[in-house]
Amino acid sequence: MMTTATATPITEQRVVLSGRSWEQFKLIQQGLEDSPGTRLFYYDGTIEILMPGRDHEVFKGIIALLLGIYFEEHGIEFEPTGSMTQEREGTASAQADESYCIGTSKPVPDLSIEVIFTSGGPSKLQRYQALGVPEVWFWQDGVFTLYRLRENGYERLNRSEIPELAGLDVELLTRCVLMGETSRLEAMREFRKGI
C-alpha cells in the first residue's frame, strides 16, 4: 500500500466559531491534539482555528531566523517560546506564530509575533491584553506593526520598547524579511551587515 505525505496548503485556512463557551473550546482543543501546525485561539466566546499555509510558515521562519541573528549579534539571552499556548483559564487562549522571553524564562512571553494572511491583526490584541503580553508585533501585507500594552490597552509603536530590542531597525528587519522570500541567505547577510 502506498502512502502520500500531506503537503502544507499554499494558503492558510481559517474557521471562526462564535457564541462558544470555554468548555467547548477545550473540547475542540483536545480533539485537535494530534493535528500539528493547527493553531487555536479563544476570546470572548469566539473560537478561531487556523491552519497556516506555506507562505505563512515561510515568513514566520524568516522572522525567527533574523531575530535569532539580532539576539546573537547583540549578546541578548532569550528563550524562543514559538507558538506555545498562552492561556488565562476561562478567558483567553492564543498561540502566536513566534514568541520570546527576553533575558530569563517567564510564564508570559515578553513578545508575541503573528503573521497575518487572512484577517485579524489589531483585532486580535484583545486576547493578548487578556493574557498580559507586554508587546505584540503583526506582520501583514509586508509591514510590521508593533503594539505595547499600556494601562488602557495597546498603543501602536514605531519601535520596540523592550529594552533589548529598542535598537532594532524595524525598516531593516522588514526589508530583509521581504528579501528572505526569495533568498534566505541574502536576507541573513543583508540583515547581519545592517545591524
Side-chain angles (χ1 to χ4, degrees), residues 59-60 62-63 97 112-117 120-122 136-147 156-159 168-179 181:
F59 280 107
K60 169 185 106 69
I62 294 166
I63 292 165
D97 292 306
S112 287
I113 302 172
E114 286 217 23
V115 175
I116 308 293
F117 270 91
V136 179
W137 299 1
F138 294 102
W139 171 262
Q140 186 172 16
D141 298 326
V143 176
F144 277 105
T145 49
L146 286 62
Y147 294 88
R156 191 165 173 180
L157 306 171
N158 291 322
R159 63 177 48 247
L168 175 65
D169 181 343
V170 178
E171 287 180 23
L172 172 67
L173 178 63
T174 300
R175 192 169 63 251
C176 291
V177 170
L178 291 169
M179 186 183 295
E181 188 175 11

Side-chain angles (χ1 to χ4, degrees), residues 36-164:
T38 300
R39 300 213 177 87
L40 290 171
F41 306 88
Y42 179 87
Y43 181 73
D44 197 26
T46 300
I47 298 170
E48 180 183 348
I49 305 168
L50 176 68
M51 290 137 294
R54 182 184 185 103
D55 290 342
H56 180 280
E57 294 300 281
V58 166
F59 280 107
K60 169 185 106 69
I62 294 166
I63 292 165
L65 183 66
L66 297 176
L67 284 177
I69 290 170
Y70 185 85
F71 292 139
E72 178 199 11
E73 289 291 320
H74 288 85
I76 299 167
E77 191 58 62
F78 69 103
E79 180 182 48
T81 51
S83 59
M84 74 168 197
T85 300
Q86 303 169 43
E87 233 171 50
R88 176 162 285 155
E89 185 73 29
T91 304
S93 181
Q95 293 175 303
D97 292 306
E98 293 294 334
S99 61
Y100 298 90
C101 293
I102 310 298
T104 61
S105 184
K106 303 167 186 79
V108 175
D110 297 296
L111 171 64
S112 287
I113 302 172
E114 286 217 23
V115 175
I116 308 293
F117 270 91
T118 50
S119 64
S123 66
K124 296 182 175 190
L125 286 171
Q126 290 179 320
R127 67 175 162 232
Y128 284 108
Q129 183 175 346
L131 295 166
V133 178
E135 203 162 289
V136 179
W137 299 1
F138 294 102
W139 171 262
Q140 186 172 16
D141 298 326
V143 176
F144 277 105
T145 49
L146 286 62
Y147 294 88
R148 183 72 183 183
L149 185 58
R150 306 282 190 224
E151 194 173 308
N152 297 323
Y154 283 95
E155 179 184 324
R156 191 165 173 180
L157 306 171
N158 291 322
R159 63 177 48 247
S160 177
E161 288 187 2
I162 297 170
E164 295 85 349

